[in-house]
Amino acid sequence: MKLTYFANWKSCLRTLVLTMMVIVAVLAVKPTTVQAKASDYTQNIEGWIDACQKVGRDLTKYNFTYGSHNKPTLSASIKHGRKANCASYVSWCLQEFGVLKKGQTFYTRGGRIHKRFKSWRGKVQIIKVNKKLTSVNLQPGDIIGWRDIVHTNIYVGKNGEGQKLWLDGGSAGTRRGRVRRYYSADKIKTFSYLNKHKVSFIIRIKGL
């Protein structure tokens, strides 16, 4: 009788220990961070703007500052450096939306596009303009390359007062910190200083 009782006690103890080990293992597993994919966005103007604002929110969340030493992807920049500028912001937006592959970037200089990849894969239309902004007919979602300033940003539309609205990862899209300039690039703003500048080209995503 004592042997049977002892065997049952040992069996219960083993079961209890195994149960506690399973519980500890489950609690130790960290929740997986779910990152957005291109397929998560509707393939229209609203989806494109959502993707751009998501990238902007990440710049704010991870305390990005304005600078040229950025990485080919947003995730790499979050891990190393946390720097962004106008071109990297737009490139990361295009990656987020699926127009560019991860790691593909471009920048503008002298009113020209300088790609770090071979092809746009037929996903965009490049429209040469070379006119002052006030003379250009833009569509919401257009990416603008400027001729007389080294800059590129995204046109969103107009507000009720007829002012042009922008998403911007340049220095104007930052807010002042104690020492450096921190981002608020998910905010749609009226950068009125752009009205006096000249548009070199428009990158227009097809199918929006």
Side-chain angles (χ1 to χ4, degrees):
M1 180 69 179
K2 289 183 179 180
L3 289 175
T4 302
Y5 176 80
F6 184 72
N8 288 340
W9 181 83
K10 288 182 67 177
S11 177
C12 290
L13 182 60
R14 281 196 300 269
T15 303
L16 180 61
V17 170
L18 288 172
T19 302
M20 292 301 294
M21 289 176 64
V22 170
I23 292 172
V24 170
V26 170
L27 292 175
V29 175
K30 294 181 179 179
T32 302
T33 301
V34 179
Q35 296 187 343
K37 299 177 293 185
S39 57
D40 293 335
Y41 300 102
T42 55
Q43 295 300 297
N44 55 24
I45 297 296
E46 289 74 18
W48 165 230
I49 299 304
D50 285 346
C52 297
Q53 289 188 290
K54 191 271 180 188
V55 172
R57 286 193 298 273
D58 281 344
L59 298 188
T60 301
K61 176 181 177 181
Y62 293 103
N63 292 324
F64 270 67
T65 56
Y66 181 79
S68 58
H69 297 291
N70 42 67
K71 304 297 180 183
T73 65
L74 176 59
S75 58
S77 236
I78 289 171
K79 293 178 181 177
H80 306 287
R82 299 187 180 183
K83 297 284 186 181
N85 59 28
C86 61
S88 58
Y89 167 70
V90 175
S91 296
W92 295 338
C93 290
L94 289 167
Q95 291 177 26
E96 180 73 17
F97 196 58
V99 172
L100 292 182
K101 295 179 180 179
K102 293 297 182 183
Q104 292 183 332
T105 61
F106 77 99
Y107 65 96
T108 64
R109 182 179 293 166
R112 295 183 179 182
I113 303 173
H114 298 266
K115 306 193 308 292
R116 295 189 176 101
F117 54 92
K118 290 183 179 180
S119 171
W120 291 98
R121 299 179 292 159
K123 292 197 171 187
V124 305
Q125 178 185 8
I126 309 295
I127 305 168
K128 294 182 179 180
V129 179
N130 199 27
K131 294 180 181 178
K132 197 171 181 180
L133 176 62
T134 51
S135 302
V136 181
N137 292 321
L138 300 178
Q139 294 182 12
D142 282 348
I143 298 166
I144 310 303
W146 299 88
R147 184 162 186 82
D148 53 345
I149 51 175
V150 181
H151 191 45
T152 183
N153 59 359
I154 300 158
Y155 175 67
V156 177
K158 294 181 179 180
N159 62 16
E161 299 175 357
Q163 297 171 305
K164 290 181 175 64
L165 301 172
W166 306 90
L167 283 168
D168 201 305
S171 59
T174 61
R175 57 184 174 81
R176 290 205 177 271
R178 288 186 178 180
V179 180
R180 299 174 292 180
R181 299 178 72 87
Y182 293 86
Y183 272 92
S184 56
D186 59 314
K187 308 300 183 196
I188 296 173
K189 299 180 180 179
T190 61
F191 297 109
S192 57
Y193 79 93
L194 293 170
N195 292 327
K196 64 182 180 181
H197 290 290
K198 186 176 286 188
V199 175
S200 179
F201 59 85
I202 296 168
I203 300 174
R204 185 169 291 166
I205 300 173
K206 293 182 178 180
L208 297 186

